[in-house]
Amino acid sequence: EDQVTQSPEALRLQEGESSSLNCSYTVSGLRGLFWYRQDPGKGPEFLFTLYSAGEEKEKERLKATLTKKESFLHITAPKPEDSATYLCAPSYSGGGADGLTFGKGTHLIIQP
Amino acid sequence: DAGVTQSPTHLIKTRGQHVTLRCSPISGHKSVSWYQQVLGQGPQFIFQYYEKEERGRGNFPDRFSARQFPNYSSELNVNALLLGDSALYLCASSLEGTAQPQHFGDGTRLSIL
């Protein structure tokens, strides 16, 4: 049973073309929702933490938002260096496991 | 400040062998977590340790074990290696628990022949 679903799986945009990535989750007892960026051959790089519905965080061309069942990562006027895989991960209580549950990620390519 | 460091960066083993992977957390971080990432998938949680105690365990067989030392560094051990254990093994550290941001190292690429 998938608890975290990210869409689309892959996205190709032109430089400057804004878009949004989706992360939907079915976990209960959410303690926080994390967004990461991962470049090939590297570990995930932390971007944002969102703790409650309605919360928003911004960093350069990225803005993350959170509702009760999903989160969006909005990318405004992206540049080629924004190309990466973007991962979301809720942290939730229960089940005995205390780690993050990652989605499969969205592979984003920004063409110049 | 140094980030999370992992060693070795690459490792090749054969089936049936065992392996030890090492992780040094960011200075001041007391919690270490281990993840397995296979190609095309997100990282999958293996263990979390805090103050040398196991706080959580993912859905992995008993061949996987870990420990955390007094200096908060950690080791992940895998026994009786299988071909399916080939993956990128990631270590992440955080100040305390997983409700706080975890910061990842660049991982150990383990290949099983």
Side-chain angles (χ1 to χ4, degrees), chain B residues 23-91:
Chain B
C23 171
S24 293
I26 293 171
S27 177
H29 284 193
K30 299 180 179 180
S31 177
V32 169
S33 297
W34 287 95
Y35 293 82
Q36 179 195 68
Q37 187 176 27
V38 298
L39 197 63
Q41 302 291 317
Q44 187 174 0
F45 172 67
I46 309 175
F47 287 110
Q48 190 205 12
Y49 276 78
Y50 175 68
E51 292 282 12
K52 297 174 288 180
E53 297 290 328
E54 181 183 307
R55 288 185 85 174
R57 182 183 185 121
N59 188 24
F60 279 81
D62 291 343
R63 298 185 295 109
F64 289 77
S65 64
R67 55 179 176 168
Q68 186 178 32
F69 299 99
N71 66 353
Y72 303 111
S73 67
S74 179
E75 285 182 353
L76 176 70
N77 295 282
V78 187
N79 294 323
L81 288 166
L82 303 173
L83 293 177
D85 294 332
S86 295
L88 179 67
Y89 287 86
L90 295 162
C91 173

Side-chain angles (χ1 to χ4, degrees), chain A residues 27-34 49-52 90-94 97-99, chain B residues 48 55 97-100:
Chain A
V27 300
S28 59
L30 184 74
R31 296 187 295 189
L33 189 290
F34 299 85
T49 309
L50 302 165
Y51 289 108
S52 58
S91 172
Y92 64 100
S93 58
D98 206 27
Chain B
Q48 190 205 12
R55 288 185 85 174
T98 53
Q100 298 174 332

